[in-house]
Amino acid sequence: MSRKNARRQPAISPGSPCPCGLDSPYRDCCGAIHDGRRQAATAELLMRSRYSAFAVRDAAYLLRSWHPSTRPSRLDFDPEQRWTRLDILGTTGGSAFHTEGTVEFRAHFSVRGHADVQHEDSRFVRDEGRWVYLGPVPSPVAVSGC
């Protein structure tokens, strides 16, 4: 096997465990959301499906699940990056009865063998009845005294 082939993202088959960490095969979990067989019922499930889309490099799904006001025109994946684990740290709102929600998470990954983590508190809203990613929760602005 060439070095180039050895660095490819590990294949995730329909029967593989879902990258999002829930106890279901990919095809029945995030795969069903990616291919449109069902929608994410909560902001947390949308977050999990987006993490899995990064793991399987599904740019089309990531763009579809991004709010039009903040969506980039395209996504490029680093071929050396491997997504290894998702930790959901907390949620607010985001249920079937809400129109907004947040999900705080840590997404673990490695690049060229070096482990790292992305930590974000993400904002989600409903757009035409379905959950979409809006962006990170803005950091509070520090006000300095006189």
Side-chain angles (χ1 to χ4, degrees), residues 14-29:
S16 296
C18 194
C20 80
L22 293 178
D23 192 23
S24 295
Y26 172 70
R27 83 173 144 259
D28 299 330
C29 194

Side-chain angles (χ1 to χ4, degrees), residues 9-98:
Q9 180 76 13
I12 296 173
S13 70
S16 296
C18 194
C20 80
L22 293 178
D23 192 23
S24 295
Y26 172 70
R27 83 173 144 259
D28 299 330
C29 194
C30 292
I33 297 171
H34 294 169
D35 68 18
R37 285 180 284 139
R38 66 181 175 87
Q39 290 187 17
T42 66
E44 179 182 335
L45 288 176
L46 183 70
M47 175 62 236
R48 288 179 179 280
S49 72
R50 287 178 53 81
Y51 171 85
S52 291
F54 276 102
V56 301
R57 297 186 177 151
D58 187 344
Y61 174 76
L62 287 164
L63 293 170
R64 281 193 317 273
S65 63
W66 212 309
H67 193 274
S69 69
T70 57
R71 179 185 319 145
S73 59
R74 61 180 272 190
L75 291 175
D76 293 313
F77 298 109
D78 181 343
E80 301 292 326
Q81 189 170 34
R82 307 285 178 266
W83 295 96
T84 57
R85 187 176 88 234
L86 176 65
D87 298 323
I88 301 296
L89 304 176
T91 63
T92 61
S95 78
F97 304 106
H98 294 101

